[in-house]
Amino acid sequence: MMDPKPSKYAPHGDADIVSLIEAHPFAWIVSSGEGFGATPLPLRPRLGADGRLVAFAGHFARSNAQVERLKAHPRVLILFMGPHAYVSPSWMADRTQAPTWNYMSAAFECDLSFIEDAEEIEADLNELIAAMEAGRPNGWSMAEMGERAHRLARGIIGFRADIVASNAAFKLGQDERDDVFTDILNGLTQEGEHDLTHHMRVYNPDRS
């Protein structure tokens, strides 16, 4: 059971969590059973008919020892980390402030099931590639590999991870005093943390 994060750091809704996952799709897949296993993999979200996040799609190399562990113990913990940065008291007029860390994260307990169907695996790969190549001036597609794509696809196994429980935390200065929040925002901006400061402004609309 995951420990709940303070409600003050709760995301506004599933849409914000999905946006985090789409922007930062590389997640840790952590399994237990006979010892722990962990593999970093890119994942794609799966939404239900009501638009809520219900599962993830991904793939393992068949040679990954974690595959056999997951066949025996299919419950996994999936961990996403979004933009994050150290917050230094050196930025603040009030030097009694303590260091902290601003971040966006999401954790999911999931039941994982493997996909052996070659067409479904290739469809999932094409979807992932299309998402990662989107907006590139000379975007690439798996079809350009020709027959080699089919041979390489045989070396992987697909999976769907259905969400059992979730816990997301968007710690973006919601609990800071106005003057401290402004100093943090300015300090992070000077350090080039523009993605993080954008979300700080979104989650603190009345003081940014």
Side-chain angles (χ1 to χ4, degrees), residues 17-148:
I17 299 174
V18 172
S19 293
L20 171 69
I21 291 164
E22 289 184 332
H24 302 272
F26 206 54
W28 281 103
I29 316 298
V30 183
S31 59
S32 60
E34 297 178 1
F36 288 99
T39 302
L41 295 173
L43 301 180
R44 292 292 298 156
R46 292 288 181 261
L47 307 182
D50 60 357
R52 293 185 61 81
L53 180 64
V54 297
F56 303 101
H59 62 275
F60 281 96
R62 289 185 183 273
S63 59
N64 189 325
Q66 195 176 10
V67 170
E68 293 306 313
R69 181 181 288 117
L70 285 167
K71 288 180 178 179
H73 303 279
R75 179 64 59 93
V76 296
L77 181 64
I78 296 179
L79 304 172
F80 292 91
M81 179 60 73
H84 61 94
Y86 172 70
V87 173
S88 171
S90 69
W91 303 331
M92 303 174 199
D94 180 1
R95 304 279 292 196
T96 69
Q97 292 294 310
T100 188
W101 209 281
N102 277 13
Y103 63 90
M104 301 171 71
S105 67
F108 301 88
E109 288 184 26
C110 299
D111 285 332
L112 186 146
S113 55
F114 284 107
I115 298 168
E116 292 282 2
D117 181 78
E119 290 187 2
E120 189 171 352
I121 290 172
E122 290 198 23
D124 284 347
L125 285 174
N126 279 317
E127 180 194 343
L128 174 62
I129 291 166
M132 301 311 300
E133 292 288 326
R136 297 180 186 274
N138 190 28
W140 179 85
S141 71
M142 195 165 69
E144 296 180 63
M145 295 179 69
E147 179 57 30
R148 183 166 180 258

